[in-house]
Amino acid sequence: MPNEHRIEVGGLVEPDRVHRRCYVDEDVFDLEMERIFHTTWIYVGHETQVPKPGDYWTTIIGRQRMILVRGKEQGVHVLFNRCPHRGSLLCNERHGNVGDGFRCTYHAWQFNLDGTLRSIPMSEGAYENTRFAPDDPQFHMTPAPRMESYRGFVFASLAESGPDLRTWLGGSIQAFDDMCDRAPDGEVEIVPNCFRIIQKSNWKIFLENQLDALHPSVTHESTGRAASEVQKDIENRTGKAPPLSYHMLSAFTTPFEVWDTLETVGHPYGHCMLQGYMGLRPTDPDNLEYEKRMRESYGEKRAEEILSVNIHHVLVYPSLSVQSPLQQLRAVRPLAPDRTLTEIWHFRLKGAPEPIYRRALDYYYLVNSPSTMINADDLVNFRKCQDGLQLDAGDWVSFHRNAGHDSVKDGVVTSVTGMSEAPMRNMFKAWDEYMRNGA
Amino acid sequence: MSPSSEKTNGGAATLGQFETLRAVEQFLYRQADILDDRKWDDWLGLFTEDGHYWMPVSDDQTVADGVPNIFYEDLDLMRVRAKRVTHPHAWSQQPGHRTSHVVSNVVIDEEQPETGDVVVRSKFHVVEYWNDGLRHFAGRYRHELTNTPDGYRIRVQRVDLINADGPFDYVIQTWV
């Protein structure tokens, strides 16, 4: 990474406000890639995405194109998508199966599933008295320096050293525990479909919005009201309770006063949690059957503990937003200061009845698909912020709401109100540390 | 799918088939107008009570129910979308988007002689203007049409985008 654009990042973040350059400046973005995305743990994928040896999915970590591949034995590998010969990409499709190894389509160098060099065509004698050496790592595919997974969720870090994954996740580990514990079998399985949506805005605006309890009833009023009307029509017409999916939309009409009672929690490294508001324990036969299965698996007490966890979103800063009770996950891939790719997945709770999967699927459709009526209005807000932040009419973005009134204990910040801008302050505190320190 | 030409002698269609084709084409063109004119009540009226609008995530997808889709809406969900897009606080409709639909390459795949119900495929090209930008959507329609005394009604409209599995720059706010 070139150093000539090195900029002074001190002073961009204050406890209650941040400079607009954090969102619009290309040099700041370059430094974010180098000091945040190329150092910390970034979400790569889920182990069930690649069930068979040779199965792979490609993705990006910062500016690096990576491959998640299932190895020959147990386990997965995270490799740079690059042939060490001439530098060609090795996998040109988003996902597939490479059989028992990678083969470059340019000169047929071949590699094992762990990235080690297997063969070069007609190589006998070809490299005699050259500096090529078959055991030199530079002639193998390069693995991510560090890779760890937790309950099937695979993370990689491009830095050789740093805190281990569990230490780094800290309190945000609840995202994966809450999602997996809700499965009677204690595991989730990914549904092999990834929606990709490009936001014309800075990656941080999306993460801030995920924890922003002031925006939903403003931004999503039109959808919330429309769904409420149809929900009532269905009830009047059929005399039955409308599907839960209508509630997922009409819940956006929840008034300010209720949003303000929610709790938000900020953890070290910028991870955050927003408490749930939808109440996902209806007493319909499907849910009762599911809760019965949970009690059979875990026992009365533990099942009740799991089912009463009430989370809306957990952010695993900076690459992931997890909605554990509905088994949704949005991975954040910044492309430019004003361009962000989100990769959106959902999961099936192993051992849960089919109707419970349908809840996850309905939410995946209504909120996360490319036809979503919800994000349609979010993405426009993000873009308007990105455009407005270019204006020379003020350099600061305000995060003053309830500033100085958060309760802090052992580095964990609990907000005094649901609409407090504590999560944004917590994310920028971590951002500032990463940007100043490097790792 | 068996193209209707296979059922004819040497590709020569009968007069009745021409009339059906003509009626179907007119129906598809009217549907395109309704979308471009943003007449959402008329749009909902094109569907049977149990009708569905379906945009799969890939062209080899064979079922809609219980799997991820880009669109899969019954009339009630379509009503939500229509109410939402016309709500004065639908912020992303300020400005609203405009579209131009061109439908072509219309082929009748199946025709039920007793009922007059048909299965039709066609190609579409949609240009959308919104927020100073143009976007293109292209692909294939497959309409399952029920023949009623008031004309055709849609039982299923399948929409296969050529970029169904690609990244979407922003989202799709109304039906393509």
Side-chain angles (χ1 to χ4, degrees):
Chain A
M1 200 45 68
N3 281 335
E4 60 262 32
H5 294 303
R6 182 53 35 83
I7 51 148
E8 186 51 61
V9 290
L12 294 181
V13 175
E14 296 183 4
D16 53 5
R17 62 178 194 172
V18 302
H19 198 281
R20 67 186 173 111
R21 284 179 63 199
C22 297
Y23 300 92
V24 301
D25 191 305
E26 298 229 357
D27 292 338
V28 170
F29 182 82
D30 287 345
L31 206 62
E32 286 178 333
M33 294 301 100
E34 183 186 332
R35 292 193 171 176
I36 303 178
F37 283 84
H38 290 175
T39 63
T40 194
W41 290 106
I42 300 296
Y43 178 71
V44 176
H46 194 265
E47 287 174 6
T48 56
Q49 258 170 267
V50 286
K52 297 188 299 296
D55 283 351
Y56 73 88
W57 272 86
T58 61
T59 188
I60 47 180
I61 296 181
R63 295 191 191 279
Q64 309 302 316
R65 293 172 183 249
M66 309 300 289
I67 303 167
L68 170 70
V69 64
R70 171 69 60 174
K72 201 172 157 197
E73 311 293 327
Q74 284 298 304
V76 298
H77 306 282
V78 179
L79 306 166
F80 285 77
N81 188 1
R82 175 184 182 274
C83 178
H85 177 214
R86 298 284 184 84
S88 167
L89 297 180
L90 281 166
C91 294
N92 209 38
E93 304 233 33
R94 285 180 67 220
H95 60 100
N97 184 291
V98 292
D100 64 355
F102 298 93
R103 181 177 184 275
C104 183
T105 56
Y106 195 1
H107 304 97
W109 282 38
Q110 291 186 45
F111 306 87
N112 298 309
L113 294 176
D114 62 1
T116 52
L117 178 63
R118 180 195 289 169
S119 67
I120 298 174
M122 303 285 287
S123 61
E124 207 168 318
Y127 289 95
E128 251 171 50
N129 299 320
T130 71
R131 292 203 289 162
F132 174 89
D135 55 352
D136 184 337
Q138 69 170 300
F139 302 110
H140 301 261
M141 290 171 73
T142 305
R146 290 186 299 153
M147 186 206 82
E148 282 190 51
S149 73
Y150 181 73
R151 299 191 79 160
F153 296 85
V154 181
F155 287 75
S157 165
L158 302 186
E160 296 286 349
S161 62
D164 65 80
L165 180 65
R166 285 184 80 129
T167 304
W168 177 82
L169 285 171
S172 73
I173 210 162
Q174 68 181 158
F176 311 110
D177 287 337
D178 185 43
M179 198 195 289
C180 298
D181 289 347
R182 285 172 183 275
D185 296 352
E187 287 181 346
V188 295
E189 183 176 25
I190 206 160
V191 179
N193 179 76
C194 177
F195 286 139
R196 289 180 294 168
I197 294 178
I198 291 171
Q199 312 179 345
K200 286 180 175 154
S201 48
N202 190 271
W203 61 277
K204 298 186 288 301
I205 295 178
F206 167 71
L207 292 182
E208 287 157 16
N209 189 72
Q210 292 294 89
L211 274 283
D212 185 324
L214 179 53
H215 91 281
S217 51
V218 185
T219 301
H220 305 302
E221 184 192 343
S222 58
T223 307
R225 299 245 174 263
S228 297
E229 282 182 36
V230 174
Q231 197 173 12
K232 281 193 203 94
D233 290 347
I234 294 174
E235 212 161 359
N236 293 338
R237 193 175 71 224
T238 65
K240 285 192 290 196
L244 192 64
S245 48
Y246 287 87
H247 173 65
M248 291 170 181
L249 296 178
S250 61
F252 284 101
T253 59
T254 302
F256 285 139
E257 291 73 17
V258 177
W259 294 108
D260 213 26
T261 62
L262 301 180
E263 184 178 73
T264 70
V265 178
H267 298 285
Y269 298 108
H271 312 317
C272 303
M273 185 282 295
L274 170 65
Q275 190 191 339
Y277 63 90
M278 281 190 274
L280 292 170
R281 294 183 70 179
T283 52
D284 59 83
D286 294 336
N287 200 61
L288 294 177
E289 169 62 22
Y290 162 63
E291 297 205 353
K292 184 166 146 268
R293 274 203 219 177
M294 287 292 284
R295 285 193 297 275
E296 284 162 8
S297 290
Y298 291 97
E300 190 85 32
K301 185 164 170 282
R302 178 69 188 126
E304 191 52 37
E305 268 172 24
I306 294 168
L307 293 166
S308 53
V309 171
N310 188 20
I311 291 172
H312 185 56
H313 286 141
V314 177
L315 292 191
V316 182
Y317 191 81
S319 71
L320 203 55
S321 170
V322 184
Q323 196 160 11
S324 44
L326 288 164
Q327 298 90 50
Q328 319 275 311
L329 175 151
R330 297 184 246 199
V332 182
R333 315 295 186 197
L335 304 176
D338 57 356
R339 216 168 151 76
T340 305
L341 172 70
T342 47
E343 296 175 343
I344 312 173
W345 298 86
H346 74 302
F347 296 81
R348 195 181 270 278
L349 298 174
K350 282 194 183 174
E354 182 67 14
I356 299 304
Y357 167 64
R358 295 295 183 103
R359 297 204 308 210
L361 179 64
D362 284 348
Y363 199 83
Y364 189 62
Y365 175 65
L366 293 169
V367 174
N368 281 321
S369 82
S371 71
T372 169
M373 295 177 267
I374 296 301
N375 283 323
D377 291 310
D378 285 320
L379 298 175
V380 166
N381 280 344
F382 302 170
R383 177 178 164 169
K384 288 196 285 195
C385 283
Q386 193 69 31
D387 289 351
L389 286 166
Q390 311 274 348
L391 306 183
D392 298 325
D395 279 338
W396 296 96
V397 172
S398 163
F399 293 131
H400 295 90
R401 194 177 181 101
N402 302 111
H405 297 278
D406 311 321
S407 110
V408 186
K409 200 178 165 210
D410 301 328
V412 175
V413 182
T414 308
S415 67
V416 62
T417 67
M419 296 195 230
S420 166
E421 281 158 344
M424 297 76 180
R425 293 190 287 272
N426 189 58
M427 283 187 259
F428 266 105
K429 182 170 170 284
W431 187 90
D432 197 38
E433 284 161 10
Y434 278 121
M435 292 292 272
R436 285 168 189 263
N437 302 333
Chain B
M1 277 194 269
S2 61
S4 60
S5 58
E6 285 174 16
K7 297 172 200 155
T8 64
N9 296 326
T14 65
L15 194 60
Q17 285 169 320
F18 272 128
E19 279 171 5
T20 305
L21 181 63
R22 183 92 179 125
V24 164
E25 283 174 344
Q26 289 301 307
F27 178 83
L28 297 177
Y29 300 161
R30 263 203 311 281
Q31 183 184 26
D33 280 342
I34 285 170
L35 283 169
D36 291 343
D37 295 340
R38 302 166 69 85
K39 292 182 175 161
W40 307 123
D41 287 340
D42 293 353
W43 166 261
L44 297 171
L46 294 176
F47 288 79
T48 61
E49 274 305 310
D50 61 349
H52 281 83
Y53 179 90
W54 176 29
M55 187 186 286
V57 295
S58 74
D59 60 8
D60 57 6
Q61 193 178 326
T62 53
V63 292
D65 188 41
V67 296
N69 294 292
I70 299 173
F71 274 89
Y72 186 52
E73 298 190 345
D74 61 10
L75 261 187
D76 279 325
L77 262 182
M78 284 196 258
R79 286 185 186 114
V80 175
R81 190 176 292 277
K83 281 177 191 291
R84 181 244 161 214
V85 82
T86 50
H87 193 281
H89 292 171
W91 310 117
S92 54
Q93 286 295 309
Q94 299 176 3
H97 66 272
R98 301 172 208 151
T99 57
S100 171
H101 284 69
V102 174
V103 183
S104 181
N105 305 27
V106 181
V107 177
I108 296 180
D109 274 337
E110 292 170 32
E111 184 177 358
Q112 299 297 330
E114 305 84 33
T115 58
D117 295 354
V118 289
V119 177
V120 189
R121 73 192 140 92
S122 57
K123 299 278 179 95
F124 62 86
H125 185 190
V126 180
V127 182
E128 178 204 75
Y129 177 71
W130 179 71
N131 239 347
D132 292 352
L134 283 178
R135 289 198 298 182
H136 294 258
F137 297 101
R140 199 198 307 257
Y141 285 147
R142 182 175 183 276
H143 285 78
E144 292 179 23
L145 299 178
T146 299
N147 191 22
T148 79
D150 301 324
Y152 289 120
R153 291 289 177 272
I154 302 167
R155 216 160 56 73
V156 181
Q157 177 172 359
R158 175 176 173 145
V159 183
D160 282 290
L161 288 182
I162 58 169
N163 58 331
D165 59 348
F168 283 79
D169 211 331
Y170 189 60
V171 297
I172 308 175
Q173 290 202 34
T174 56
W175 306 276
V176 171

